[in-house]
């Protein structure tokens, strides 16, 4: 497992019109280490087809793939899983996916939720949002101080998410974030070339900190 890196998260609202695969490949070439497939469409056939293609892409680029909130799909493809607070049991996911699977839990701005997630089998803990977020504008606000406390308390990878851009990322890295989870700041780009450039800049920032 990579110790630090860019955690790219796809968003079905952003990646329409055939953008998903070329934009994701650009992010992987740019250095993304983890990729979360996030699709809330409810179209099971589309999700399986896209996630299968992403599985192959991630294998080719030595990137860990995680499925958002769909244990059955993660199990079918043999990849990782990320669960929100209302999206299933981390304990059940760990039992089903096995001891080596990469499994993460959303902890909002709560050290208590993080502690519970780790007891239930999470591989990493994700805090956020830290800044105004296009994807989840109403999510609870987390602070760099929370990251510092989490860094002292927990040894697992810590993920920061929510409105992260190249301009504000350093604050979170300095506070102890291992992974920066980026959606709009990465994929809200005019073309794949810009996605690759942003991914490379994020990756360089993370590894220089």
């Amino acid at each position: 497992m990579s110790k630090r890196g860019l955690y790219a998260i796809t968003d079905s609202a952003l990646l329409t019109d055939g953008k998903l695969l070329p934009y994701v490949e650009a992010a992987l070439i740019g250095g993304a280490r983890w990729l979360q497939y996030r699709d809330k469409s409810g179209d099971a056939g589309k999700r399986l087809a896209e996630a299968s293609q992403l599985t192959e892409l991630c294998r080719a680029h030595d990137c860990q793939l995680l499925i958002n909130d769909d244990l059955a799909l993660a199990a079918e493809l043999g990849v990782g899983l990320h669960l929100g607070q209302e999206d299933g049991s981390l304990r059940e996911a760990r039992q089903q996916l096995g001891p080596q699977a990469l499994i993460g839990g959303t902890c909002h701005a709560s050290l208590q939720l993080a502690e519970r997630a780790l007891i239930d089998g999470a591989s990493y803990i994700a805090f956020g949002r830290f800044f105004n977020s296009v994807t989840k504008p109403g999510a609870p606000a987390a602070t760099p101080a929370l990251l510092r406390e989490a860094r002292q308390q927990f040894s697992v990878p810590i993920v920061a998410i929510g409105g992260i851009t190249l301009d504000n990322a350093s604050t979170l890295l300095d506070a102890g974030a291992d992974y920066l989870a980026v959606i709009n700041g990465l994929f809200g780009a005019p073309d794949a070339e810009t996605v690759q450039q942003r991914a490379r800049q994020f990756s360089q920032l993370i590894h220089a900190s």
Side-chain angles (χ1 to χ4, degrees):
M1 185 191 299
S2 303
K3 289 187 166 53
R4 307 190 89 195
L6 173 62
Y7 185 169
I9 301 181
T10 71
D11 184 80
S12 52
L14 274 176
L15 297 175
T16 56
D17 304 323
K19 290 179 182 175
L20 178 66
L21 295 177
Y23 272 43
V24 165
E25 185 164 28
L28 300 187
I29 292 169
R33 306 313 308 137
W34 292 357
L35 175 79
Q36 184 185 132
Y37 174 62
R38 184 175 184 272
D39 181 286
K40 302 290 188 180
S41 68
D43 184 337
K46 169 178 175 282
R47 288 161 57 81
L48 175 59
E50 290 182 343
S52 298
Q53 291 172 304
L54 292 177
T55 300
E56 295 306 314
L57 260 185
C58 286
R59 283 181 183 147
H61 291 278
D62 194 27
C63 175
Q64 293 267 5
L65 176 65
L66 301 101
I67 305 296
N68 177 265
D69 299 342
D70 190 337
L71 173 55
L73 183 55
E76 182 173 353
L77 295 174
V79 299
L81 178 72
H82 183 91
L83 291 177
Q85 282 296 314
E86 310 297 326
D87 298 306
S89 163
L90 285 167
R91 191 179 295 271
E92 180 186 342
R94 177 58 69 197
Q95 289 171 346
Q96 191 164 334
L97 297 180
Q100 300 304 316
L102 181 60
I103 302 174
T106 296
C107 303
H108 298 306
S110 169
L111 295 174
Q112 290 74 27
L113 289 178
E115 194 167 359
R116 170 52 57 187
L118 294 176
I119 290 170
D120 288 345
S123 314
Y124 70 86
I125 45 180
F127 295 104
R129 66 181 169 90
F130 286 90
F131 306 104
N132 289 329
S133 168
V134 173
T135 309
K136 291 191 175 182
T143 64
L146 173 79
L147 281 181
R148 284 189 284 272
E149 285 187 67
R151 182 74 289 156
Q152 291 179 334
Q153 191 170 338
F154 306 115
S155 59
V156 300
I158 294 172
V159 175
I161 187 170
I164 299 172
T165 66
L166 288 163
D167 293 327
N168 60 32
S170 294
T171 306
L172 305 179
L173 294 168
D174 292 345
D178 298 300
Y179 284 84
L180 299 179
V182 188
I183 306 173
N184 193 68
L186 179 62
F187 290 122
D191 51 54
E193 186 179 353
T194 306
V195 173
Q196 183 177 331
Q197 182 181 10
R198 290 182 184 181
R200 184 164 285 119
Q201 288 174 302
F202 272 115
S203 299
Q204 289 170 345
L205 195 62
I206 292 164
H207 293 299
S209 64

